[in-house]
Amino acid sequence: MENLTFAELDTEMVSLLPSKETLYWGSNYNWANIYASNSSVALNAVTAFSQANSAALQTIAVSQG
């Protein structure tokens, strides 16, 4: 880890980033609604030396306006 002195910090320069367009709720808007779901079920009840398998289901829905 390198230590800085106050003299070194005083020589540092700062500049502003250029302005960017942003999304807003005016006449020009863009949004995305995302829904994601993962589910899996396995059951192994009251058995000896058995195996339970499960298949996972995944759903992703995107709507954009």
Side-chain angles (χ1 to χ4, degrees):
M1 182 173 174
E2 183 179 333
N3 294 327
L4 295 175
T5 65
F6 286 110
E8 290 172 324
L9 288 176
D10 286 339
T11 62
E12 292 294 319
M13 303 298 283
V14 176
S15 61
L16 296 175
L17 295 173
S19 63
K20 296 182 179 181
E21 291 184 19
T22 59
L23 300 177
Y24 65 95
W25 294 105
S27 60
N28 182 17
Y29 65 90
N30 188 3
W31 59 272
N33 186 23
I34 300 172
Y35 171 79
S37 174
N38 293 308
S39 61
S40 179
V41 176
L43 178 63
N44 188 0
V46 194
T47 59
F49 306 108
S50 65
Q51 179 178 346
N53 295 317
S54 176
L57 301 174
Q58 182 179 59
T59 303
I60 299 174
V62 178
S63 60
Q64 186 174 9

